[in-house]
Amino acid sequence: MDETAAPAPRRKNMRRDDRDQQILEEAVKFFAECGFEGQTRELAKRLGVSHAVIYRHFDSKEALIERVYEHVYTSRWRSEWEDWITDRSQKLEDRLIRFYRAYADSVFEYEWVRIFISSGLKSYGLPARYLAIVRDRIIRPAVVEARHELGLPAQPPSEAEEELFWGLHGGVFYMAIRKYIYGTGIAEDVGGAVERTVRAYLSGIPALMKQDAGG
């Protein structure tokens, strides 16, 4: 028998909060490896508990997935990131570099990336909810700040303007996809690669925004 495939030894008499945390942390690893189609019976086996134990702590698989979302995604969001984007004491380029370096430090992680991609493929709606946060708190404010820096009239961001900045956001995130989904190498200095990506992308955005504005 392959000992590496054996279930974890059962742990008894754990406090409820400790058991909740144990299940959550193992679920993050499990779903990152197997996707959300992974069965909770297999998760219970890895934990060394009965299947019923999971459902004494989480009402359903969906409730467990929701906790995973909160743990992996919303708990890592930093409110100061939003302040950095709107801080007009610095050039927008410097603000975006500061944000995306911090963002990469937070999300360039095996579990974060693989769960994000898996949940999107299985229509759990988690990526849409998270990307709505990115859009409202980063992308749209960045468009407003770009218009201000370029001397363009203040107005709500257009879809075309938002798309420009989604391209930047996707360019940064694609490095994480290459590493954790495709398994290909990326720059060892992720912070430096992020900075170069931001600078290169922003070099073309002003001309496109002015062109769309008729300038």
Side-chain angles (χ1 to χ4, degrees), residues 33 91 112 132:
E33 177 185 340
K91 294 191 306 180
W112 198 105

Side-chain angles (χ1 to χ4, degrees), residues 47-201:
L47 285 162
V49 301
S50 69
H51 191 222
V53 167
I54 291 178
Y55 290 104
R56 285 203 293 269
H57 291 262
F58 298 92
D59 292 338
S60 63
K61 183 178 180 180
E62 289 71 25
L64 178 56
I65 289 173
E66 183 65 25
R67 280 288 301 279
V68 167
Y69 172 75
E70 293 171 359
H71 180 73
V72 177
Y73 298 100
T74 58
S75 69
R76 297 189 188 190
W77 190 268
R78 298 290 175 259
S79 59
E80 61 264 29
W81 293 345
E82 302 162 42
D83 297 331
W84 295 352
I85 296 298
T86 58
D87 178 11
R88 291 181 178 176
S89 67
Q90 301 182 55
K91 294 191 306 180
L92 180 59
E93 180 181 277
D94 295 335
R95 291 178 248 168
L96 288 170
I97 288 172
R98 184 185 185 189
F99 164 68
Y100 278 112
R101 287 179 71 103
Y103 188 73
D105 285 343
S106 181
V107 310
F108 275 47
E109 181 183 88
Y110 177 86
E111 287 88 0
W112 198 105
V113 177
R114 290 187 65 87
I115 289 174
F116 189 87
I117 298 300
S118 173
S119 62
L121 292 174
K122 293 299 176 181
S123 301
Y124 278 92
L126 305 187
R129 287 164 56 188
Y130 184 79
L131 291 175
I133 294 173
V134 174
R135 179 196 64 214
D136 294 341
R137 303 182 187 182
I138 301 298
I139 300 297
R140 287 178 175 171
V143 173
V144 170
E145 294 305 307
R147 292 188 68 85
H148 176 269
E149 197 164 275
L150 293 170
L152 297 174
Q155 64 183 44
S158 68
E159 289 186 5
E161 290 171 328
E162 287 184 28
E163 197 60 37
L164 290 173
F165 281 87
W166 276 120
L168 168 57
H169 190 85
V172 172
F173 186 57
Y174 186 65
M175 286 187 280
I177 292 178
R178 282 165 47 207
K179 180 174 183 179
Y180 296 114
I181 302 299
Y182 300 144
T184 60
I186 62 172
E188 182 176 348
D189 177 14
V190 173
V194 166
E195 183 173 336
R196 290 189 293 274
T197 299
V198 172
R199 291 188 188 281
Y201 207 84

Side-chain angles (χ1 to χ4, degrees), residues 8-11 19 22-23 26-27 42-49 54:
R10 293 183 181 273
R11 300 189 206 179
R19 180 70 79 186
Q22 180 204 20
I23 294 171
E26 189 62 33
E42 179 61 30
L43 172 60
K45 187 183 298 184
R46 294 191 182 198
L47 285 162
V49 301
I54 291 178

